[in-house]
Amino acid sequence: MEKNRESPGSPILRIKELTVAYKLRDKVHNAVRDFSLEIEPGGKYGLVGESGSGKTTIALAILNYLGKDGLIQGGEVLFKGKDLLGLTKSQLKEVWGSQISLVPQNPQSSLNPSMRIGDQIAEVFSGRNGDFAGDILFRVLTLLERVHLPEPGKIARMYPHQISGGMQQRVLIAMALSLNPDLLLLDEPTTALDVTTEASILGLLQEEVTGSGSSALYVTHNLGVAAQFCDRLAVLYAGDLVEDGSLLDIFQRPLHPYTTGLIASIPSPGVSRRESKLISIPGQIPPLGARPAGCVFAPRCPIAVNICLQTPPLTETGANRSVRCHRWEEIEQGLLDRRRFFSTYNGDKPEKISKPVFDNARNLLDLKKVGVHFELPRSVIEVFTGKSPDTLKAVNGVTFSIPGGSTVGLVGESGSGKTTLARAIMGLELLTNGRVEFAGKALPQKLSERDFGILKKLQIVFQNPDEALNPHLKVGTSIQIPIQRLLLCDRDDAEKKAIQLMEAFQLPAEYFNKKPHQLSGGEKQRAALARSFASNPSLLIVDEPVSSLDVSVQAAVLNMLDEFQQKEANSLLFISHNLAVIGYMADIVAVIYRGCLMEVSRTEELFSPPYHPYTEALLSAIPIPDPAVTRARIHLEGDIPSPVDEPRGCPFHSRCPRVLGDTCKSEQPGWQFDRQGNRFYCHIPLEELESSQDLLFD
């Protein structure tokens, strides 16, 4: 039943000149300064900015839940007219959950690993309104069904580690919705999810917020997500509100250079690195205690002038629109060209290349019917009864090649087998069947059996840069060591080469002596990439290298990878769940599902029909950073089925929106080839796919 909401003229949340500080080493530093915002009943407000902007600090300040080092230095947080900052802890507990709920970014750290899912949700109801056990169980199952989780009774009996990340996030949403709150605080709830799960979660949130009449504050660094969910945006930089307005105004007429840079940093589906270079904002957000005087964005701003040494006011530019910039009027009047704000930092755009440069190159890597299977441990009962171990087929019969000098993108949802395949190529997992050839010769399966020549030519960068950087070593030393060992350099030469690599990846020489914990996430990823290039490998495997980075840092990292590849003519296997990023970086795209390839296509044809139905769903789920663009989404029901249960027919048939019936369920498809040589693992004739599919991107 829908709650009574505030009248349309009365904001559900009004933040007035909020200033929040943190105490660090006996000094107090402002993290958010004089921040103001109003959310109307039923409104969906986006709070966007890079990591370190203060977005999460604002969300926690609304709840008055900052921790012992967080301090409210001034301002008001009025929720339904009542200042939350003046409430006692017991009074706040009456507001938390029942009136304001938080959906945090990381479900794994928010769910109790020792409690069943149903018990954790039941805790929300316990002791409220005299609920009885049977009534609570009914509510728990209803909530799990409400967030589209299959078999609610089974999920309720499971522990968090037994369900996927997308399911865990749905559980957190169920808990947040359990008491029908007036305001939802959504702190990057889809950042760690693949695009199909993200699209499903966004659709669910949109459905719930619209249906219940709740309001929402959506904290994100992903402007594509904000464009699909929000109706207003507040742009935050280094603790300052720099722009505020309606979604269409912000995207179509950004008045602050920082907003322009964020929007321009996002790769557009169908645009390749061979056509244009991504825009990236130079530098990074200054740390607490090092915020510059005047305009905080001036050190990174391409149009900063002398007046920017003075602090700009937050100026009303029109109805419900404000900006903090001395030069906003010049931007609005078109006297300053937004398109050229950051172009000088990226060099000239290369001419469009009609054909990839690797067309006649020999294959550097060949995968031939590669399979990686794991026997699952048996329970005590299964051992006594003599039951054979179940086999998990993580990779199943994968065949494709990487030509010299090319980038092949491997794309698929979480659990599709991408990382397992990468580990098998690197000798970190044993092949069950098939063959991996490097430069025409079979690779020894085990890493320990490979000689220095192979180790030097074949490198990998994992998603988490902390896996590549020893926390106890200086960053420069982590880069220097492989130079010494693989290139057989002496210590002084290796140190010089390490500093040159760091500078090539935009890490100053003084970072040589820093420890990894002193670097930001983007800086650590650059250091990991520099380390992987230390031996100038012929083939570099990069596994989700930008999935957790801000869009501007993502653009810088992708540009650096492109520049290094063009300079050294090496090959890349680029693994991601983001088809926009894959489409920008890759020359060839391989789409994988349940350990099986579904499609292998040249990138220039990937974004036009025909698509494999799975590729079509992945493409439709890409969040487009343009609120004016609307298109139908193909929602895949459920998560990837367990690879233990090998299907008799097409691996995708249980989720395919174009399934043909018994043919797809019982018969394995064969490979079909189009006129350009792209191949599809599907029963549906390509002519039929092409005629029934829409052009998703112009």
Side-chain angles (χ1 to χ4, degrees):
M1 183 175 177
E2 186 177 324
K3 281 184 167 185
N4 292 325
R5 306 292 177 185
E6 297 293 295
S7 63
S10 176
I12 190 81
L13 180 74
R14 178 181 284 138
I15 302 174
K16 292 183 176 181
E17 298 180 353
L18 177 68
T19 296
V20 185
Y22 288 101
K23 188 176 181 181
L24 301 173
R25 301 184 187 90
D26 298 322
K27 290 185 178 181
V28 175
H29 303 289
N30 286 344
V32 175
R33 293 176 296 277
D34 297 325
F35 178 83
S36 298
L37 176 142
E38 292 185 359
I39 301 180
E40 301 295 330
K44 299 186 289 294
Y45 226 115
L47 185 58
V48 301
E50 296 170 286
S51 299
S53 294
K55 306 185 300 295
T56 298
T57 294
I58 289 172
L60 295 176
I62 292 170
L63 293 167
N64 201 354
Y65 193 73
L66 286 166
K68 64 177 183 178
D69 293 323
L71 306 168
I72 303 291
Q73 298 288 78
E76 297 177 319
V77 177
L78 302 173
F79 176 67
K80 297 199 288 188
K82 184 183 294 184
D83 188 3
L84 298 180
L85 303 183
L87 300 184
T88 64
K89 198 156 192 175
S90 60
Q91 290 172 323
L92 282 168
K93 286 181 179 178
E94 295 298 315
V95 175
W96 294 340
S98 61
Q99 298 181 62
I100 303 178
S101 284
L102 172 71
V103 179
Q105 178 176 351
N106 187 353
Q108 290 182 337
S109 62
S110 303
L111 293 171
N112 188 330
S114 63
M115 288 182 65
R116 298 181 191 274
I117 296 295
D119 293 335
Q120 296 192 54
I121 301 175
E123 275 194 334
V124 179
F125 298 111
S126 297
R128 294 181 183 270
N129 305 321
D131 287 319
F132 297 98
D135 185 37
I136 290 177
L137 177 60
F138 174 76
R139 291 190 183 193
V140 168
L141 298 180
T142 301
L143 274 170
L144 292 175
E145 187 174 1
R146 180 176 166 184
V147 296
H148 308 307
L149 280 168
E151 301 181 86
K154 182 179 178 181
I155 296 291
R157 295 190 297 273
M158 289 182 169
Y159 291 94
H161 72 273
Q162 295 177 301
I163 61 177
S164 68
M167 286 182 170
Q168 290 175 0
Q169 196 61 276
R170 287 188 182 97
V171 169
L172 284 184
I173 293 171
M175 294 173 73
L177 297 172
S178 58
L179 299 176
N180 196 16
D182 297 283
L183 176 64
L184 279 172
L185 303 178
L186 307 166
D187 186 8
E188 302 269 17
T190 63
T191 294
L193 305 178
D194 55 55
V195 287
T196 54
T197 307
E198 178 179 71
S200 176
I201 295 293
L202 284 175
L204 169 64
L205 288 170
Q206 192 80 264
E207 173 188 314
E208 290 295 337
V209 171
T210 303
S212 66
S214 298
S215 305
L217 179 66
Y218 199 109
V219 173
T220 183
H221 67 260
N222 189 327
L223 276 83
V225 169
Q228 304 304 311
F229 181 80
C230 304
D231 45 48
R232 286 190 66 82
L233 280 186
V235 183
L236 199 67
Y237 179 80
D240 283 354
L241 178 65
V242 296
E243 188 160 6
D244 185 14
S246 72
L247 193 69
L248 280 173
D249 281 345
I250 294 285
F251 274 91
Q252 294 180 354
R253 297 186 302 109
L255 299 180
H256 197 283
Y258 179 58
T259 310
T260 301
L262 289 179
I263 294 171
S265 298
I266 306 169
S268 299
V271 176
S272 165
R273 66 194 168 108
R274 300 189 184 278
E275 295 174 299
S276 64
K277 201 168 186 179
L278 287 175
I279 299 297
S280 64
I281 305 173
Q284 62 187 36
I285 288 183
L288 290 180
R291 303 284 160 91
C295 174
V296 289
F297 187 60
R300 302 175 70 191
C301 183
I303 61 168
V305 291
N306 286 339
I307 196 175
C308 300
L309 297 174
Q310 303 172 24
T311 303
L314 187 66
T315 306
E316 296 287 337
T317 67
N320 296 318
R321 185 88 193 268
S322 58
V323 66
R324 192 186 301 274
C325 180
H326 289 295
R327 307 192 70 183
W328 72 267
E329 289 176 297
E330 296 172 81
I331 296 172
E332 185 180 50
Q333 293 166 14
L335 301 177
L336 296 171
D337 187 353
R338 297 186 189 93
R339 294 170 299 177
R340 300 193 61 81
F341 277 2
F342 296 97
S343 60
T344 54
Y345 291 96
N346 291 296
D348 296 324
K349 293 182 178 181
E351 293 182 7
K352 184 172 180 178
I353 300 172
S354 58
K355 282 192 175 183
V357 295
F358 62 86
D359 263 0
N360 298 315
R362 294 177 58 188
N363 290 339
L364 183 64
L365 186 80
D366 289 290
L367 305 180
K368 299 181 178 181
K369 297 183 179 179
V370 168
V372 181
H373 304 168
F374 303 102
E375 283 193 355
L376 299 180
R378 293 178 293 174
S379 67
V380 174
I381 295 176
E382 288 173 336
V383 171
F384 276 113
T385 57
K387 182 182 180 298
S388 299
D390 287 325
T391 300
L392 187 152
K393 296 185 177 181
V395 178
N396 199 10
V398 167
T399 297
F400 69 84
S401 300
I402 301 179
S406 72
T407 296
V408 172
L410 184 63
V411 66
E413 296 169 284
S414 298
S416 57
K418 306 185 300 294
T419 297
T420 301
L421 182 59
R423 289 176 61 84
I425 295 170
M426 292 301 302
L428 300 173
E429 300 288 358
L430 294 179
L431 301 187
T432 306
N433 46 53
R435 181 182 175 92
V436 178
E437 294 181 356
F438 184 73
K441 296 181 180 179
L443 272 178
Q445 284 210 32
K446 294 182 180 179
L447 184 65
S448 59
E449 296 172 352
R450 298 180 181 180
D451 60 32
F452 262 33
I454 293 175
L455 296 177
K456 184 171 69 172
K457 293 176 182 177
L458 189 56
Q459 291 286 309
I460 189 168
V461 179
F462 292 106
Q463 179 175 357
N464 185 354
D466 292 321
E467 295 180 20
L469 302 174
N470 188 323
H472 305 294
L473 293 180
K474 297 173 184 176
V475 170
T477 304
S478 291
I479 300 171
Q480 177 184 330
I481 288 173
I483 295 175
Q484 285 181 245
R485 292 182 177 175
L486 297 177
L487 298 184
L488 304 178
C489 292
D490 62 39
R491 184 170 180 172
D492 290 341
D493 282 346
E495 183 174 328
K496 289 178 184 177
K497 289 180 182 293
I499 291 174
Q500 290 171 357
L501 265 174
M502 290 173 63
E503 290 176 339
F505 279 93
Q506 297 181 14
L507 291 172
E510 55 265 27
Y511 276 44
F512 188 97
N513 293 316
K514 288 191 175 187
K515 295 286 185 67
H517 72 271
Q518 295 175 292
L519 275 61
S520 68
E523 288 170 338
K524 283 193 281 190
Q525 192 62 278
R526 294 179 201 181
L529 286 167
R531 185 179 187 275
S532 68
F533 274 103
S535 63
N536 190 21
S538 302
L539 174 64
L540 178 64
I541 300 173
V542 284
D543 188 2
E544 300 276 13
V546 296
S547 62
S548 59
L549 301 181
D550 296 318
V551 288
S552 59
V553 179
Q554 171 183 279
V557 169
L558 294 179
N559 284 337
M560 283 184 276
L561 275 172
D562 180 37
E563 288 166 10
F564 246 83
Q565 185 182 26
Q566 290 191 33
K567 179 182 175 183
E568 304 296 341
N570 39 31
S571 300
L572 293 178
L573 176 60
F574 196 105
I575 297 172
S576 180
H577 63 256
N578 187 329
L579 258 174
V581 170
I582 286 285
Y584 178 78
M585 286 297 297
D587 304 301
I588 300 169
V589 179
V591 182
I592 190 169
Y593 180 81
R594 294 186 73 178
C596 301
L597 288 184
M598 298 289 103
E599 177 174 348
V600 179
S601 171
R602 284 181 177 265
T603 308
E604 57 260 40
E605 283 105 34
L606 179 72
F607 293 90
S608 300
Y611 324 98
H612 187 282
Y614 181 54
T615 309
E616 184 183 11
L618 292 178
L619 288 168
S620 77
I622 297 174
I624 303 300
D626 186 349
V629 175
T630 57
R631 52 185 169 78
R633 273 210 177 120
I634 299 169
H635 292 287
L636 298 180
E637 296 298 326
D639 293 289
I640 294 180
S642 169
V644 173
D645 307 317
E646 186 179 5
R648 290 173 54 203
C650 173
F652 186 54
H653 81 259
S654 63
R655 298 173 75 202
C656 182
R658 299 182 181 276
V659 65
L660 295 177
D662 289 341
T663 300
C664 294
K665 293 177 183 178
S666 59
E667 298 177 22
Q668 288 190 1
W671 284 100
Q672 301 185 66
F673 294 83
D674 68 10
R675 290 182 296 275
Q676 288 76 33
N678 305 314
R679 55 188 171 109
F680 304 79
Y681 191 62
C682 187
H683 285 294
I684 305 170
L686 296 185
E687 295 79 9
E688 186 177 325
L689 280 176
E690 189 170 17
S691 63
S692 62
Q693 291 172 333
D694 296 322
L695 182 64
L696 294 173
F697 305 99
D698 294 326

